Amino acid sequence: MPSGPPEALAADFPERRVILVFEDERSFRPLSGRRVRILLSRPAALVSPANGLAVTGPEGSVEVVYRPVAVYDRSALAAGDVVADFPAVLFVSMEAPDGEFEWQVDDTVSFARYRDPLYQGLDRDPDPGPAYVNLFLP
């Protein structure tokens, strides 16, 4: 098993990008120029948009960047394996003529390295690319 603090055991995963795409549910048209508020669950930390406030672009999207924090499975560490989740839930709201709409987006990703060769096929790394999430306004 690698030595060092658990925080040093998981893959280097300094930032996570999530692209939220807002669309009209009936026409699938992008909702551009709309004000959006984003809150993020702990232990993750929001990097952008600043203060969690953004306006959707011409394609109806907003880019969210946050710093994930690894939460280790202590029983796996005791067995010589390294299993960690990077929990993050985005609480998203958008102002609309009919009121305010809200979504909850779970963007939890995970990492695993198993010592036993029998289980090494289950090893996994967080996806380094951005996640794309479509959100629909009725």
Side-chain angles (χ1 to χ4, degrees):
M1 179 175 136
S3 62
E7 293 75 24
L9 298 176
D12 185 23
F13 191 45
E15 284 189 345
R16 174 81 171 152
R17 292 178 51 223
V18 178
I19 310 297
L20 302 174
V21 181
F22 297 88
E23 297 179 15
D24 181 284
E25 186 176 56
R26 284 171 251 139
S27 66
F28 298 104
R29 284 189 337 243
L31 298 171
S32 61
R34 301 287 184 100
R35 292 170 42 125
V36 177
R37 179 178 324 159
I38 296 147
L39 299 172
L40 184 65
S41 66
R42 294 192 180 272
L46 188 64
V47 173
S48 75
N51 300 317
L53 301 174
V55 175
T56 59
E59 63 287 331
S61 67
V62 168
E63 180 181 70
V64 177
V65 179
Y66 67 89
R67 278 193 283 301
V69 175
V71 176
Y72 286 87
D73 179 332
R74 297 292 176 182
S75 62
L77 285 172
D81 301 323
V82 179
V83 177
D85 284 328
F86 296 87
V89 177
L90 290 83
F91 300 95
V92 181
S93 61
M94 173 183 276
E95 295 175 5
D98 298 341
E100 187 172 34
F101 291 86
E102 298 177 344
W103 299 267
Q104 185 172 320
V105 178
D106 187 341
D107 190 53
T108 300
V109 295
S110 61
F111 170 90
R113 288 291 179 274
Y114 295 97
R115 186 177 61 169
D116 186 331
L118 182 64
Y119 296 106
Q120 288 176 355
L122 299 175
D123 287 356
R124 60 190 173 275
D125 291 312
D127 185 348
Y132 289 86
V133 179
N134 289 44
L135 300 172
F136 296 95
L137 195 70

